[in-house]
Amino acid sequence: MGDGSGDGTRESQLVHTLVRLADTLVDTYDVVEVLQTLVENCVSLVDAQAGGIILSDQGRPLEVIASTSEETRLVELIQLSAGGGPCVDCITSGVVVSVPDIATLPDRWPLFRERAEQGGFAAVHAVPLRSRGTILGSLNVFWSAPLRLDPESAAVVQGLADVATISILQERSLRESELAREQLQHALQSRIVIEQAKGVVAFQLDVGVEEAFTLLRDHARSHGERLSDVAARVVARELDV
Protein backbone atom coordinates (compact mmCIF):
# COMPACT_ATOMS: atom_id res chain seq x y z
CA MET A 1 0.00 0.00 0.00
CA GLY A 2 1.08 3.60 -0.43
CA ASP A 3 2.71 3.03 -3.80
CA GLY A 4 3.09 6.73 -4.54
CA SER A 5 0.53 6.84 -7.37
CA GLY A 6 -1.53 9.96 -8.02
CA ASP A 7 -0.15 13.47 -7.80
CA GLY A 8 3.27 12.33 -6.59
CA THR A 9 5.13 9.90 -4.36
CA ARG A 10 3.91 9.33 -0.85
CA GLU A 11 7.03 11.08 0.40
CA SER A 12 6.22 14.24 -1.53
CA GLN A 13 2.59 14.06 -0.43
CA LEU A 14 3.71 13.74 3.18
CA VAL A 15 6.01 16.75 2.89
CA HIS A 16 3.17 18.75 1.32
CA THR A 17 0.85 17.70 4.15
CA LEU A 18 3.33 18.70 6.87
CA VAL A 19 4.01 22.06 5.23
CA ARG A 20 0.29 22.72 4.91
CA LEU A 21 -0.32 21.82 8.55
CA ALA A 22 2.62 23.92 9.71
CA ASP A 23 1.14 26.91 7.88
CA THR A 24 -2.08 26.54 9.87
CA LEU A 25 -0.38 26.54 13.27
CA VAL A 26 -0.59 30.26 13.94
CA ASP A 27 -1.85 32.13 17.00
CA THR A 28 -5.49 32.08 15.86
CA TYR A 29 -5.57 28.59 14.39
CA ASP A 30 -8.76 26.53 14.62
CA VAL A 31 -7.89 23.26 16.40
CA VAL A 32 -10.87 21.40 14.94
CA GLU A 33 -10.02 22.44 11.38
CA VAL A 34 -6.35 21.47 11.79
CA LEU A 35 -7.23 18.02 13.15
CA GLN A 36 -9.85 17.48 10.45
CA THR A 37 -7.33 18.34 7.74
CA LEU A 38 -4.74 16.09 9.38
CA VAL A 39 -6.97 13.01 9.56
CA GLU A 40 -8.14 13.46 5.95
CA ASN A 41 -4.54 13.60 4.74
CA CYS A 42 -3.60 10.62 6.89
CA VAL A 43 -6.34 8.52 5.27
CA SER A 44 -5.08 9.46 1.82
CA LEU A 45 -1.42 8.82 2.63
CA VAL A 46 -1.95 5.25 3.85
CA ASP A 47 -4.64 4.29 1.31
CA ALA A 48 -7.29 3.91 4.00
CA GLN A 49 -11.03 4.38 3.67
CA ALA A 50 -11.71 6.48 6.76
CA GLY A 51 -10.21 7.97 9.89
CA GLY A 52 -10.99 9.88 13.04
CA ILE A 53 -9.54 11.49 16.15
CA ILE A 54 -10.79 11.05 19.70
CA LEU A 55 -9.73 13.55 22.38
CA SER A 56 -9.56 13.28 26.14
CA ASP A 57 -9.71 16.38 28.34
CA GLN A 58 -8.16 15.46 31.71
CA GLY A 59 -10.86 13.33 33.28
CA ARG A 60 -13.74 14.55 31.12
CA PRO A 61 -15.58 12.09 28.85
CA LEU A 62 -13.84 11.17 25.60
CA GLU A 63 -15.12 13.00 22.51
CA VAL A 64 -14.89 12.43 18.75
CA ILE A 65 -13.21 15.64 17.55
CA ALA A 66 -12.68 14.82 13.85
CA SER A 67 -13.83 12.17 11.39
CA THR A 68 -13.80 11.68 7.63
CA SER A 69 -17.28 10.17 7.41
CA GLU A 70 -20.43 9.71 9.40
CA GLU A 71 -19.79 5.96 9.56
CA THR A 72 -16.39 6.58 11.16
CA ARG A 73 -17.92 8.88 13.75
CA LEU A 74 -20.59 6.31 14.61
CA VAL A 75 -18.01 3.53 14.99
CA GLU A 76 -16.02 5.71 17.37
CA LEU A 77 -19.10 6.85 19.28
CA ILE A 78 -20.19 3.25 19.90
CA GLN A 79 -16.79 2.62 21.48
CA LEU A 80 -17.22 5.64 23.76
CA SER A 81 -20.69 4.45 24.70
CA ALA A 82 -19.52 0.89 25.39
CA GLY A 83 -16.38 2.06 27.18
CA GLY A 84 -14.17 -0.14 25.04
CA GLY A 85 -12.82 -0.86 21.58
CA PRO A 86 -9.42 -0.53 19.90
CA CYS A 87 -9.56 3.28 19.78
CA VAL A 88 -10.61 3.64 23.42
CA ASP A 89 -8.15 0.98 24.57
CA CYS A 90 -5.40 2.83 22.70
CA ILE A 91 -6.11 5.88 24.89
CA THR A 92 -6.44 4.01 28.19
CA SER A 93 -3.33 1.90 27.59
CA GLY A 94 -1.25 4.56 25.84
CA VAL A 95 -0.01 2.10 23.21
CA VAL A 96 -0.77 1.42 19.56
CA VAL A 97 -3.72 -0.93 19.01
CA SER A 98 -3.84 -2.55 15.57
CA VAL A 99 -6.55 -4.96 14.42
CA PRO A 100 -5.68 -6.44 10.99
CA ASP A 101 -9.00 -8.29 10.69
CA ILE A 102 -11.97 -7.07 12.71
CA ALA A 103 -14.01 -10.15 11.76
CA THR A 104 -11.62 -12.40 13.69
CA LEU A 105 -11.87 -10.42 16.94
CA PRO A 106 -12.85 -12.45 20.00
CA ASP A 107 -15.85 -11.36 22.09
CA ARG A 108 -13.82 -8.63 23.76
CA TRP A 109 -15.45 -5.77 21.80
CA PRO A 110 -18.72 -7.17 20.38
CA LEU A 111 -20.46 -3.81 19.89
CA PHE A 112 -17.46 -2.33 18.11
CA ARG A 113 -17.08 -5.35 15.84
CA GLU A 114 -20.78 -5.30 14.89
CA ARG A 115 -20.88 -1.56 14.17
CA ALA A 116 -17.55 -1.58 12.30
CA GLU A 117 -18.70 -4.39 10.02
CA GLN A 118 -22.01 -2.60 9.42
CA GLY A 119 -20.01 0.46 8.42
CA GLY A 120 -17.94 -1.54 5.95
CA PHE A 121 -14.71 -1.56 7.96
CA ALA A 122 -12.48 -4.64 8.21
CA ALA A 123 -9.27 -3.32 9.81
CA VAL A 124 -8.27 -0.51 12.18
CA HIS A 125 -5.02 1.03 13.44
CA ALA A 126 -5.17 3.34 16.47
CA VAL A 127 -2.22 5.47 17.64
CA PRO A 128 -2.16 7.45 20.92
CA LEU A 129 -1.67 11.22 20.93
CA ARG A 130 1.01 11.44 23.58
CA SER A 131 2.68 14.42 25.24
CA ARG A 132 5.27 13.91 27.98
CA GLY A 133 3.55 10.82 29.34
CA THR A 134 0.04 12.30 29.06
CA ILE A 135 -2.37 10.71 26.58
CA LEU A 136 -4.49 13.37 24.88
CA GLY A 137 -6.45 11.04 22.58
CA SER A 138 -5.98 8.77 19.59
CA LEU A 139 -5.65 8.95 15.81
CA ASN A 140 -7.63 6.08 14.27
CA VAL A 141 -7.48 4.80 10.68
CA PHE A 142 -9.88 2.28 9.09
CA TRP A 143 -9.71 0.07 6.00
CA SER A 144 -12.52 -1.73 4.14
CA ALA A 145 -10.50 -4.95 3.74
CA PRO A 146 -8.36 -6.95 6.20
CA LEU A 147 -4.89 -5.43 6.34
CA ARG A 148 -1.71 -5.76 8.39
CA LEU A 149 -0.16 -2.30 8.26
CA ASP A 150 3.39 -2.24 6.89
CA PRO A 151 6.13 -0.50 8.95
CA GLU A 152 6.42 2.47 6.58
CA SER A 153 2.70 3.20 6.70
CA ALA A 154 2.67 2.73 10.47
CA ALA A 155 5.45 5.31 10.70
CA VAL A 156 3.39 7.76 8.62
CA VAL A 157 0.40 7.39 10.96
CA GLN A 158 2.64 7.78 14.00
CA GLY A 159 4.23 10.90 12.53
CA LEU A 160 0.86 12.51 11.88
CA ALA A 161 -0.30 11.54 15.36
CA ASP A 162 2.70 13.47 16.69
CA VAL A 163 1.73 16.45 14.54
CA ALA A 164 -1.82 16.24 15.92
CA THR A 165 -0.41 16.40 19.43
CA ILE A 166 1.71 19.40 18.55
CA SER A 167 -1.26 21.15 16.97
CA ILE A 168 -3.20 20.77 20.22
CA LEU A 169 -0.49 21.87 22.60
CA GLN A 170 2.23 23.80 20.74
CA GLU A 171 5.33 24.96 22.59
CA ARG A 172 3.53 27.58 24.66
CA SER A 173 0.91 25.02 25.70
CA LEU A 174 3.65 22.68 26.86
CA ARG A 175 4.87 25.48 29.16
CA GLU A 176 1.42 26.61 30.27
CA SER A 177 -0.82 23.72 31.31
CA GLU A 178 -3.80 26.00 31.87
CA LEU A 179 -3.66 27.15 28.24
CA ALA A 180 -3.47 23.52 27.11
CA ARG A 181 -6.63 22.69 29.03
CA GLU A 182 -8.41 25.72 27.62
CA GLN A 183 -7.48 24.77 24.04
CA LEU A 184 -8.70 21.21 24.51
CA GLN A 185 -11.94 22.38 26.09
CA HIS A 186 -12.47 24.89 23.27
CA ALA A 187 -11.95 22.14 20.71
CA LEU A 188 -14.52 19.90 22.37
CA GLN A 189 -17.07 22.71 22.71
CA SER A 190 -16.51 23.72 19.09
CA ARG A 191 -17.18 20.18 17.90
CA ILE A 192 -20.55 20.13 19.70
CA VAL A 193 -21.58 23.32 17.90
CA ILE A 194 -20.34 21.94 14.56
CA GLU A 195 -22.43 18.78 15.02
CA GLN A 196 -25.47 20.94 15.74
CA ALA A 197 -24.80 23.04 12.65
CA LYS A 198 -24.49 19.92 10.48
CA GLY A 199 -27.97 18.91 11.62
CA VAL A 200 -29.39 22.35 10.88
CA VAL A 201 -27.91 22.47 7.36
CA ALA A 202 -28.89 18.87 6.63
CA PHE A 203 -32.49 19.63 7.61
CA GLN A 204 -32.70 22.97 5.80
CA LEU A 205 -31.23 21.72 2.53
CA ASP A 206 -32.47 18.11 2.74
CA VAL A 207 -28.95 16.69 2.36
CA GLY A 208 -26.88 14.12 4.25
CA VAL A 209 -24.84 15.15 7.27
CA GLU A 210 -21.56 14.59 5.43
CA GLU A 211 -22.62 16.94 2.61
CA ALA A 212 -23.81 19.42 5.24
CA PHE A 213 -20.35 19.34 6.85
CA THR A 214 -18.71 19.91 3.45
CA LEU A 215 -20.92 22.96 2.89
CA LEU A 216 -19.96 24.38 6.27
CA ARG A 217 -16.24 23.90 5.61
CA ASP A 218 -16.46 25.33 2.10
CA HIS A 219 -18.21 28.44 3.41
CA ALA A 220 -15.64 28.91 6.18
CA ARG A 221 -12.71 28.52 3.78
CA SER A 222 -14.12 30.72 1.03
CA HIS A 223 -14.86 33.52 3.51
CA GLY A 224 -11.67 33.15 5.54
CA GLU A 225 -13.60 32.32 8.71
CA ARG A 226 -13.11 29.76 11.46
CA LEU A 227 -15.24 26.65 11.05
CA SER A 228 -16.46 26.88 14.64
CA ASP A 229 -17.56 30.51 14.15
CA VAL A 230 -19.52 29.64 11.01
CA ALA A 231 -21.18 26.74 12.83
CA ALA A 232 -22.18 28.97 15.74
CA ARG A 233 -23.82 31.47 13.38
CA VAL A 234 -25.69 28.70 11.59
CA VAL A 235 -27.01 27.32 14.88
CA ALA A 236 -28.06 30.84 15.95
CA ARG A 237 -29.91 31.19 12.61
CA GLU A 238 -27.70 34.14 11.68
CA LEU A 239 -26.27 32.48 8.57
CA ASP A 240 -27.47 30.27 5.73
CA VAL A 241 -24.82 28.29 3.80
Side-chain angles (χ1 to χ4, degrees):
M1 57 183 300
D3 59 5
S5 60
D7 295 334
T9 65
R10 178 158 67 178
E11 289 75 13
S12 65
Q13 293 177 45
L14 181 57
V15 169
H16 175 75
T17 297
L18 294 176
V19 170
R20 180 182 178 188
L21 289 169
D23 287 343
T24 66
L25 296 179
V26 295
D27 290 340
T28 58
Y29 78 97
D30 188 328
V31 174
V32 175
E33 174 68 12
V34 170
L35 296 181
Q36 182 69 34
T37 299
L38 184 146
V39 75
E40 289 175 352
N41 280 273
C42 182
V43 166
S44 175
L45 284 163
V46 296
D47 299 329
Q49 275 61 59
I53 292 177
I54 296 176
L55 277 192
S56 172
D57 184 17
Q58 298 196 352
R60 295 175 63 88
L62 300 174
E63 296 280 353
V64 178
I65 199 68
S67 60
T68 61
S69 71
E70 190 65 13
E71 284 297 337
T72 317
R73 192 174 77 89
L74 292 175
V75 169
E76 294 186 322
L77 286 175
I78 198 67
Q79 295 180 77
L80 304 189
S81 176
C87 306
V88 171
D89 280 29
C90 171
I91 295 173
T92 56
S93 68
V95 299
V96 173
V97 177
S98 193
V99 182
D101 190 349
I102 292 173
T104 64
L105 277 175
D107 293 332
R108 182 181 179 188
W109 303 313
L111 293 178
F112 162 76
R113 182 178 60 197
E114 178 182 359
R115 192 65 190 83
E117 290 178 338
Q118 289 176 357
F121 302 127
V124 60
H125 187 77
V127 178
L129 308 183
R130 183 194 303 272
S131 174
R132 297 186 176 182
T134 299
I135 307 303
L136 304 178
S138 65
L139 169 60
N140 317 301
V141 191
F142 298 83
W143 289 265
S144 59
L147 173 78
R148 187 172 298 277
L149 199 63
D150 63 84
E152 182 180 332
S153 296
V156 170
V157 179
Q158 181 63 64
L160 289 176
D162 293 340
V163 173
T165 302
I166 293 170
S167 74
I168 296 168
L169 297 178
Q170 291 199 56
E171 285 189 2
R172 65 181 183 180
S173 298
L174 295 174
R175 295 190 302 268
E176 301 172 19
S177 60
E178 184 60 33
L179 177 59
R181 287 194 293 271
E182 290 176 0
Q183 287 187 324
L184 285 170
Q185 182 58 30
H186 173 70
L188 297 176
Q189 291 174 341
S190 296
R191 191 68 204 189
I192 292 173
V193 176
I194 290 169
E195 291 300 326
Q196 293 174 339
K198 284 164 58 177
V200 171
V201 173
F203 176 80
Q204 289 179 337
L205 301 182
D206 192 25
V207 297
V209 289
E210 293 180 30
E211 183 176 351
F213 181 65
T214 298
L215 291 171
L216 288 168
R217 287 186 70 193
D218 288 347
H219 182 93
R221 289 175 172 178
S222 63
H223 290 78
E225 298 180 67
R226 290 157 54 103
L227 178 61
S228 53
D229 291 341
V230 170
R233 290 168 59 201
V234 169
V235 171
R237 302 300 195 274
E238 298 173 354
L239 173 68
D240 292 324
V241 298

